[in-house]
């Protein structure tokens, strides 16, 4: 979730391919309900959602490598708790 002044050439489909999971980038200046829906208080924010259920969240800027590691760490921990 980002604000309109977020300048990047990154699009959702690029991240889908790089991360291997569907990604939706939401501009909070255009969709003001999204921050309320997910309780977003700071941007940029990343909320991992599956079937409408929040699984994990973080805020702040991340490199693509850090984002991949964040997802891998979550996945590894999720598998351990199964």
């Amino acid at each position: 979730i980002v604000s309109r002044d977020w300048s990047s050439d990154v699009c959702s489909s690029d991240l889908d391919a790089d991360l291997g999971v569907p990604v939706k980038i939401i501009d909070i200046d255009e969709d003001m309900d999204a921050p309320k829906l997910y309780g977003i208080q700071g941007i940029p924010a990343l909320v991992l959602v599956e079937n409408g259920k929040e699984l994990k969240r973080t805020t702040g800027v991340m490199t693509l490598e850090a984002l991949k590691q964040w997802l891998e760490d979550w996945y590894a921990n999720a598998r351990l708790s199964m």
Side-chain angles (χ1 to χ4, degrees):
I1 297 181
V2 298
S3 68
R4 182 175 290 138
D5 62 353
W6 183 62
S7 59
S8 176
D9 294 329
V10 174
C11 69
S12 295
S13 61
D14 292 338
L15 288 173
D16 290 351
D18 287 338
L19 298 174
V21 296
V23 174
K24 179 169 179 153
I25 296 175
I26 301 170
D27 181 337
I28 63 166
D29 295 319
E30 292 180 13
D31 182 355
M32 295 181 173
D33 292 330
K36 294 175 191 169
L37 177 67
Y38 292 105
I40 301 298
Q41 297 179 357
I43 53 174
L46 179 66
V47 182
L48 183 59
V49 178
E50 182 178 51
N51 298 324
K53 179 182 173 191
E54 180 179 326
L55 304 174
K56 186 175 180 176
R57 75 169 49 214
T58 190
T59 58
V61 176
M62 272 194 249
T63 64
L64 181 58
E65 289 306 313
L67 181 54
K68 286 179 180 179
Q69 188 63 53
W70 183 80
L71 287 169
E72 288 172 8
D73 291 347
W74 170 82
Y75 183 71
N77 288 331
R79 287 186 55 196
L80 288 175
S81 65
M82 293 178 141

